[in-house]
Amino acid sequence: MEYVQPPAGTLTTTLAAMAAGVQPATIRDWVRRGILTRCGGTPKRPVYRVADVQAARAATKPTRPGQRPARAA
């Protein structure tokens, strides 16, 4: 069950992905890597602050040796 309306100023994983222009799996990966933090919700239905999602999208992502450079969005 999704939120009918997440708390003001927050986004669900699906909405955060739409706002950042990425897949929901990318949002979960950013959380795992420490680029984005949850601000509430439940373990299965986290919510994120809008400003945090925007900052994570703009953040420089760590790279591995030999990884192809990212193209600008």
Side-chain angles (χ1 to χ4, degrees), residues 6-30:
T10 63
L11 301 168
T12 63
T13 302
T14 303
L15 293 174
M18 283 192 235
V22 298
Q23 295 293 315
T26 302
I27 297 295
R28 291 187 290 272
D29 188 53
W30 289 351

Side-chain angles (χ1 to χ4, degrees), residues 5-21 27 30 35-40 46-59:
Q5 180 94 15
T10 63
L11 301 168
T12 63
T13 302
T14 303
L15 293 174
M18 283 192 235
I27 297 295
W30 289 351
I35 297 169
L36 179 63
T37 56
R38 298 170 178 159
C39 73
V47 292
Y48 311 93
R49 287 185 188 91
V50 174
D52 291 347
V53 172
Q54 292 171 343
R57 184 175 191 277

